[in-house]
């Protein structure tokens, strides 16, 4: 059994992904080279799970935050700490954006947007509990009972979309339609005007739009803990089903063409168009 808890990479990244173990030890893998290219030690907080992001660029940066005194830190792939910001703790999430930026969410404090290479704050987002990157130019801002599409500058591109009592957990887009799922469900497909096209009340771990087949791919989990990859059409009808191991964490890569599943047996890179899989096994 491997000792990894989390994977992180933005959905448009073509090559690099980070996989984190307890204690803040992070491996950075290259898909094209099929090998680990860096190992670094980052901050680690209590509460389980690694709060970090891989921010690609000419000089990739790993940004990690902790719940306690360490705050937020940025590291290059040599393991050198580039900066540390102790001004705010209680870090709940760290998310990579395009343009070398990273979103840091704090408990009961405004969400901040930082330059990943320097830690400089470039923007504050009040009322936003989480930012889900969809494309380099489009993100989803998530509030307590609403979500809203944001442009590359994180300005709203449309009205607020009402959700249920639980915040949106995962989302995907084909450029026009938006698919969302809340913690514990439901899954919803919204048309370009924001109207609900389809709904499925069940538990889903992750959503992605596969541009090759022009379908939605979702990680579905039953109440009994059985997990499958489902291919859905635009009315949420199941076109295909593929059983898989229960993932500890999931990420999207290659603009929706690849799904990253962190399982007990390794990091699985799934081609969303045909379910073919490569496995990076822990050393």
């Amino acid at each position: 059994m491997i000792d990894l808890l989390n994977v992180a990479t933005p959905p448009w990244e073509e090559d690099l992904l980070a996989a984190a173990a307890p204690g803040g030890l992070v491996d950075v893998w290259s898909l094209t080279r099929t090998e680990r290219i860096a190992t670094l030690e980052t901050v680690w907080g209590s509460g389980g799970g690694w709060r970090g992001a891989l921010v690609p660029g000419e000089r990739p940066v790993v940004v990690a935050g902790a719940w306690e005194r360490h705050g937020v830190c940025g590291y290059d792939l040599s393991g050198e700490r580039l900066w540390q910001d102790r001004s705010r703790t209680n870090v709940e999430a760290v998310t990579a954006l395009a343009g070398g930026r990273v979103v840091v969410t704090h408990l009961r404090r405004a969400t901040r947007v930082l330059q990943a290479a320097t830690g400089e704050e470039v923007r504050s987002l009040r009322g936003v509990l989480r930012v889900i990157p969809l494309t380099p130019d489009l993100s989803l801002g998530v509030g307590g009972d609403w979500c809203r599409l944001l442009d590359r500058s994180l300005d709203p591109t449309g009205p607020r979309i009402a959700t249920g009592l639980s915040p949106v957990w995962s989302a995907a887009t084909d450029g026009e339609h938006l698919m969302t799922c809340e913690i514990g469900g439901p899954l919803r497909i919204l048309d370009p005007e924001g109207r609900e096209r389809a709904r499925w009340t069940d538990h889903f771990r992750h959503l992605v739009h596969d541009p090759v087949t022009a379908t939605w791919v979702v990680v579905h989990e039953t109440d009994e803990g059985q997990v499958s990859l489902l291919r859905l059409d635009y009315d949420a009808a199941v076109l295909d089903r593929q059983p898989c191991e229960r993932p500890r964490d999931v990420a999207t890569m290659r603009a929706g063409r690849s799904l990253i599943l962190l399982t007990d047996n390794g990091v699985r890179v799934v081609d969303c168009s045909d379910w073919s899989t490569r496995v990076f096994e822990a050393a």
Side-chain angles (χ1 to χ4, degrees):
M1 180 179 293
I2 64 171
D3 192 22
L4 296 174
L5 292 179
N6 302 93
V7 289
T9 195
W12 54 86
E13 169 61 13
E14 293 285 331
D15 186 34
L16 300 182
L17 66 95
L25 192 67
V26 175
D27 290 331
V28 178
W29 289 81
S30 166
L31 294 190
T32 57
R33 292 159 59 178
T34 321
E35 63 181 10
R36 182 190 297 109
I37 63 169
T39 298
L40 52 148
E41 187 173 349
T42 71
V43 292
W44 171 263
S46 62
W50 180 68
R51 301 173 179 93
L54 172 69
V55 184
E58 184 176 344
R59 188 184 185 190
V61 178
V62 173
V63 179
W67 187 259
E68 300 93 346
R69 63 187 182 279
H70 301 292
V72 187
C73 300
Y75 307 84
D76 67 15
L77 297 193
S78 73
E80 177 186 357
R81 190 172 68 193
L82 303 174
W83 54 270
Q84 183 173 19
D85 180 359
R86 297 176 181 266
S87 65
R88 296 186 192 176
T89 55
N90 294 7
V91 176
E92 292 194 313
V94 181
T95 307
L97 294 179
R101 299 166 299 159
V102 65
V103 176
V104 183
T105 303
H106 302 265
L107 178 66
R108 292 192 291 271
R109 300 288 294 272
T111 292
R112 300 189 296 158
V113 183
L114 311 178
Q115 289 291 349
T118 64
E120 176 187 2
E121 183 173 335
V122 295
R123 182 155 188 178
S124 178
L125 300 172
R126 296 192 178 277
V128 176
L129 303 179
R130 190 171 182 226
V131 174
I132 302 174
L134 303 172
T135 73
D137 298 317
L138 192 66
S139 299
L140 189 70
V142 177
D145 58 359
W146 57 270
C147 62
R148 193 175 201 174
L149 289 170
L150 309 174
D151 65 15
R152 190 181 181 94
S153 299
L154 299 179
D155 292 323
T157 65
R160 288 188 176 189
I161 300 169
T163 61
L165 298 177
S166 298
V168 170
W169 174 254
S170 182
T173 183
D174 66 348
E176 294 186 356
H177 298 81
L178 176 68
M179 174 184 273
T180 66
C181 73
E182 301 166 26
I183 298 173
L187 174 151
R188 297 198 298 163
I189 300 176
L190 306 174
D191 69 15
E193 285 71 44
R195 296 185 297 256
E196 187 174 292
R197 179 187 177 106
R199 172 186 288 252
W200 187 351
T201 303
D202 212 335
H203 182 60
F204 298 89
R205 292 285 303 274
H206 196 78
L207 314 176
V208 63
H209 181 265
D210 172 31
V212 177
T213 60
T215 59
W216 307 99
V217 173
V218 302
V219 182
H220 175 247
E221 185 171 356
T222 67
D223 292 338
E224 293 75 29
Q226 297 178 330
V227 179
S228 298
L229 302 180
L230 304 182
R231 188 181 309 283
L232 308 180
D233 66 13
Y234 279 75
D235 295 316
V238 178
L239 304 175
D240 194 10
R241 183 187 302 267
Q242 178 76 15
C244 70
E245 294 178 74
R246 189 177 190 275
R248 301 180 178 190
D249 201 10
V250 189
T252 301
M253 287 189 70
R254 303 175 63 239
R257 302 192 309 279
S258 293
L259 191 62
I260 311 301
L261 302 177
L262 175 59
T263 72
D264 288 346
N265 295 308
V267 178
R268 297 183 174 271
V269 182
V270 180
D271 187 317
C272 290
S273 67
D274 61 8
W275 308 135
S276 60
T277 304
R278 289 185 293 158
V279 180
F280 295 170
E281 296 182 354

